[in-house]
Amino acid sequence: MIDKSVIEAENEKRMSALLADYDALGEHLDRRGISIGAIKDKAARFGVAIPSWGTGTGGTRFARFPGEGEPRDIFDKLDDCGVIHGLTCATPNVSLHIPWDKANPDDMRAKADQHGLGFDAMNSNTFQDQPDQAHSYKYGSLSHVDAATRQQAIAHNIDCIEIGEKLGSKALTVWVGDGSNFPGQVNMTRQFERYLDAMKEVYKNLPDDWRIFSEHKIYEPAFYSTVVQDWGTSYLIATELGDKAQCLVDLGHHAPTVNVEMIVARLIQFGKLGGFHFNDSKYGDDDLDSGSVDPYRLFLVFNELVEWEDTPGLNLSHMIDQSHNVTDPIESLMVSATEIQRSYAQALLVDRSALAGFQADNDALMATRTLKAGFRTDVEPILAMARVEQGGAIDPVATYRASGYRASVASVRPKVSGAGGGIV
Ligand code: PSV
Ligand code: MN
């Protein structure tokens, strides 16, 4: 955790500038008929979950370059998540990946409580073999041709639910790497039948107040076909399973030109959007930091979320899912969380009745200008004020660097090996 006195000292240096900027923005928004306080309160209530795996340095199949003081286990990861939330006040929950984060649930909960953190969706991992595993996932997991392998994957997902129940989680995200690498390698219809049957078994074990999210991905690690390749297949899965099943959209899991905000709109319209994995990309599933390449695309996703935020039953799990190869993961996660929150605040500024009027008049130019007016507004004073009022930092990265946290944990966390690839 970062000492309160460090946060206060760093805030003190920036407070008068923040007050001046906040007042100026308040006057500007007032002229647009917007209450800055209302936007700030909504932004303050916004939260995005930190992926436990994101606190470690990622890697590619070529190499991994570990940083100083990397977390050794889930308890170190929760400490890092506590730092991120303490400074940004925007990441109240952690999303776990099992078996990467397998540990005593009571101990995990106690550690999370120390930092005021809760647990968002559990993520099951059946895309990798574990040392003690009876059946290999080399040729698939929930859709494997072998019944015993499918059963092992089903049991693992049920295990994730049971761990999650002890932690207070309310959802399970299922992503599988199952697919094929050669035309003709699999019978695509039979493979999907097996997948659906296996998911139905998992679904039977879902508590009444839980949801299960189906996460689609166009390719990788299977490079010819993937069993849950797109939102249409994900929608079929969620529909086949029942009301507690919804779709999860990972922003990086589409072909480069796909209109993701339209997918979001469709899934909301039919009650099947459950949540997000946020990241950014240029070429494929690059897992770059949220909002780092195309912040307008992120804004357009939030524009749909705000447009439909009063939809009855809409309850979204917001999670980050990115890989940090060249930065300190804590810094990247803090910046990403605030970029996601920024897109939300900007989308809140869109004049929705003016937009509806321009749409009704087929005034394409004015409609798109109305969106841009939200996107162009610098909402940083709103986000900073929301943080300060909750005890966070005006400038999370500067405050983190001033705290010396990384150096202090490096002295007790030995540097891990950088040999070999390490895709997370
Ligand atoms: C797969 O690429 C994925 O997006 C899934 O959500 C996994 O659980 C996660 O990445 C692992 O980082
Ligand atoms: Mn994902």
Side-chain angles (χ1 to χ4, degrees), residues 126-127 137-145 175-188 191-192 194-195 217-229:
T126 60
F127 47 85
Y137 294 136
K138 179 172 178 181
Y139 297 107
S141 58
L142 289 169
S143 75
H144 201 286
V145 287
W175 174 77
V176 292
D178 299 27
S180 73
N181 280 331
F182 293 89
Q185 180 187 337
V186 298
N187 180 317
M188 291 187 279
Q191 188 183 44
F192 190 45
R194 291 192 294 271
Y195 179 81
K217 178 169 172 176
I218 182 173
Y219 74 98
E220 197 206 20
F223 286 102
Y224 170 66
S225 71
T226 294
V227 73
V228 189
Q229 88 281 15

Side-chain angles (χ1 to χ4, degrees), residues 89-111:
C89 304
T91 59
N93 293 306
V94 181
S95 196
L96 298 185
H97 219 294
I98 305 294
W100 294 340
D101 298 322
K102 221 164 177 184
N104 181 316
D106 292 337
D107 295 344
M108 286 196 267
R109 198 162 182 160
K111 175 60 96 175

Side-chain angles (χ1 to χ4, degrees), residues 53 123 175 215 248 250 253 277 279 287 321:
W53 60 99
N123 298 262
W175 174 77
E215 178 180 358
L248 183 135
D250 182 312
H253 287 188
H277 277 179
N279 48 52
D287 277 337
D321 185 6

Side-chain angles (χ1 to χ4, degrees), residues 68 153 243:
E68 295 290 330
D243 290 346

Side-chain angles (χ1 to χ4, degrees), residues 206-219:
L206 206 62
D208 287 345
D209 59 346
W210 271 56
R211 289 178 296 158
I212 188 166
F213 301 143
S214 153
E215 178 180 358
H216 61 275
K217 178 169 172 176
I218 182 173
Y219 74 98

Side-chain angles (χ1 to χ4, degrees), residues 46-49 93 120 211 213 246-249 264 267-268 272-276 278 301-302 304-306 308-309 313-319:
F46 180 84
V48 59
N93 293 306
D120 207 296
R211 289 178 296 158
F213 301 143
Q246 292 182 310
C247 306
L248 183 135
V249 176
V264 170
L267 290 174
I268 294 176
K272 283 297 187 189
L273 184 66
F276 288 93
F278 290 108
V301 166
F302 272 95
E304 292 304 322
L305 299 183
V306 170
W308 303 109
E309 71 179 350
L314 187 68
N315 170 17
L316 299 175
S317 272
H318 293 301
M319 284 169 269

